[in-house]
C-alpha cells in the first residue's frame, strides 16, 4: 500500500526522470517507459540465482503427484486461486498433494479456505523454512505454481528452474519475464481458475512434457549468474561516472 501511495503521489517518479536506472525485468522497464522515462536511460539486469545453493540433485521426486508454491503468503499473491484449482484437480487426481512453502499474514485465511474446499488433508503449510529445506522441496515437487497478480521479477521461478523444476505461473508482469511459455514453463491467464486447473492436469499427466520443460528451465536458469550481473553493474556505473566527468570538464 505504501509503495502504491508513494508512486501515486509521484514522489519516486517526478524527481528521478533524468537519472539512469537499473531494473530487474523487461516488465519493470516497460512500466517506467509508460510513465515517461527515457528507455535509453534504463538498463535491465535481472536478479540472479546462487547456483552453489540452487541446483539439481539426486533427490527422487515424490512418487505421488506433488506440486508446490514458494513465496510469501500475501493477498496479492492470490494463492487462493491455486487452492481452488487444486480442489478441481483432485476430482481427477485424488492423490495430489500441495506444499505451501512460506509465511505471511494471509496464512490463516488460506488455511480456512482449504477447510471450506475440503482439501485440508492434502495441503501442507510448511511455514518459513531455511534455504536448504526450500531447495530440497524444490527438488522434490513435480513442478511449482505461482499465482501472483504481479511481480517485479520471478525470482522463485528461476530458483526452482535452477533446481531442475519447471513452473506454471500467471501471465503477469515479472512472471512472464521469468518464463518462456511452452519452453521453460507454462503461463496461464491470471485469475482463470479453469485454465489453471487444466494446465496443472496437463503437467501431472504428461511426464515427457514436464521433463522437457524442466530440462530447458535448468539451462535457462544457468544464464542468471550473480557474478555476471555484478560485472555488468560495475560497467554501467563506470560508464556513468566517465560520462559525468566529461560533462564537468
Amino acid at each position: 500500500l505504501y509503495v502504491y501511495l508513494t508512486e501515486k503521489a509521484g514522489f519516486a517518479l517526478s524527481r528521478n526522470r533524468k537519472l539512469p536506472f537499473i531494473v530487474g525485468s523487461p516488465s519493470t522497464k516497460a512500466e517506467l517507459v509508460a510513465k515517461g522515462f527515457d528507455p535509453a536511460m534504463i538498463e535491465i539486469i535481472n536478479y540472479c540465482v546462487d547456483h552453489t545453493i540452487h541446483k539439481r540433485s539426486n533427490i527422487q521426486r515424490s512418487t505421488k503427484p506433488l506440486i508446490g508454491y514458494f513465496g510469501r503468503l500475501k493477498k496479492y499473491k492470490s494463492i487462493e486461486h491455486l487452492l481452488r484449482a487444486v480442489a478441481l484437480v483432485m476430482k481427477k487426481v485424488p492423490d495430489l498433494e500441495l506444499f505451501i512453502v512460506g509465511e505471511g499474514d494471509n496464512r490463516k485465511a488460506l488455511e480456512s479456505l482449504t477447510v471450506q474446499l475440503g482439501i485440508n488433508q492434502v495441503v501442507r503449510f510448511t511455514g518459513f523454512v531455511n534455504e536448504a529445506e526450500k531447495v530440497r522441496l524444490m527438488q522434490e515437487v513435480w513442478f511449482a505454481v505461482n499465482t501472483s497478480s504481479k511481480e517485479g521479477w520471478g525470482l522463485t521461478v528461476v530458483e526452482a528452474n535452477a533446481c531442475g523444476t519447471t513452473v506454471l505461473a500467471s501471465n503477469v508482469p515479472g512472471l512472464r519475464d521469468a518464463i518462456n511459455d511452452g519452453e521453460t514453463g507454462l503461463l496461464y491467464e491470471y485469475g482463470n481458475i479453469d485454465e489453471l486447473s487444466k494446465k496443472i492436469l496437463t503437467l501431472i499427466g504428461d511426464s515427457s512434457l514436464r521433463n522437457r520443460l524442466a530440462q530447458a528451465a535448468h539451462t535457462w536458469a544457468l544464464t542468471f549468474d550473480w557474478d555476471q550481473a555484478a560485472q555488468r553493474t560495475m560497467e554501467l556505473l563506470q560508464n556513468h561516472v566517465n560520462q559525468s566527468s566529461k560533462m564537468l570538464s
Side-chain angles (χ1 to χ4, degrees):
L1 177 60
Y2 72 80
V3 173
Y4 170 79
L5 292 175
T6 298
E7 290 187 349
K8 191 73 173 177
F11 180 81
L13 299 176
S14 61
R15 291 168 166 72
N16 298 308
R17 291 186 190 278
K18 296 183 180 180
L19 293 178
F21 273 77
I22 295 175
V23 298
S25 71
S27 291
T28 302
K29 178 175 181 176
E31 288 187 5
L32 289 179
V33 171
K35 293 180 183 296
F37 284 77
D38 181 357
M41 297 291 283
I42 305 171
E43 294 287 342
I44 300 171
I45 300 180
N46 297 117
Y47 300 109
C48 297
V49 176
D50 185 342
H51 293 284
T52 65
I53 298 174
H54 300 89
K55 56 187 176 182
R56 291 186 294 190
S57 78
N58 294 323
I59 291 177
Q60 294 296 313
R61 301 282 177 182
S62 170
T63 56
K64 295 196 300 184
L66 174 62
I67 61 179
Y69 165 84
F70 298 87
R72 292 179 298 154
L73 310 188
K74 306 294 287 186
K75 190 170 180 60
Y76 80 92
K77 299 284 189 177
S78 306
I79 305 165
E80 68 275 9
H81 295 177
L82 175 56
L83 298 179
R84 295 187 185 280
V86 164
L88 295 175
V89 171
M90 280 187 61
K91 295 176 182 178
K92 296 184 178 180
V93 188
D95 59 343
L96 174 67
E97 290 186 289
L98 168 64
F99 282 2
I100 304 291
V101 183
E103 192 57 85
D105 56 17
N106 203 36
R107 177 170 175 171
K108 288 185 177 180
L110 294 172
E111 289 176 327
S112 295
L113 182 58
T114 64
V115 175
Q116 295 173 29
L117 294 171
I119 60 173
N120 53 302
Q121 296 301 314
V122 302
V123 180
R124 176 186 166 193
F125 288 84
T126 69
F128 174 81
V129 299
N130 61 34
E131 199 75 359
E133 177 65 4
K134 182 186 77 172
V135 168
R136 187 190 71 78
L137 291 171
M138 284 181 167
Q139 295 165 339
E140 183 182 358
V141 299
W142 286 22
F143 56 93
V145 181
N146 192 319
T147 52
S148 186
S149 61
K150 182 181 179 181
E151 295 290 338
W153 167 248
L155 182 58
T156 58
V157 170
V158 183
E159 288 178 342
N161 291 168
C163 295
T165 301
T166 191
V167 179
L168 166 60
S170 49
N171 189 359
V172 297
L175 294 179
R176 68 170 66 108
D177 301 317
I179 291 178
N180 294 322
D181 190 27
E183 297 180 16
T184 66
L186 297 178
L187 296 173
Y188 75 95
E189 180 187 15
Y190 170 75
N192 189 330
I193 308 301
D194 185 57
E195 183 185 4
L196 174 57
S197 64
K198 287 178 179 177
K199 290 196 172 181
I200 289 174
L201 282 169
T202 295
L203 286 175
I204 290 174
D206 192 338
S207 60
S208 62
L209 171 63
R210 201 167 61 241
N211 292 335
R212 176 177 65 79
L213 293 174
Q215 180 60 48
H218 181 258
T219 302
W220 163 253
L222 293 177
T223 65
F224 298 97
D225 180 85
W226 276 120
D227 288 338
Q228 295 179 17
Q231 179 62 37
R232 179 61 179 148
T233 301
M234 292 302 297
E235 290 172 356
L236 290 173
L237 291 172
Q238 188 60 58
N239 287 340
H240 181 61
V241 169
N242 293 342
Q243 291 174 7
S244 299
S245 297
K246 290 179 181 179
M247 293 175 63
L248 293 173
S249 61

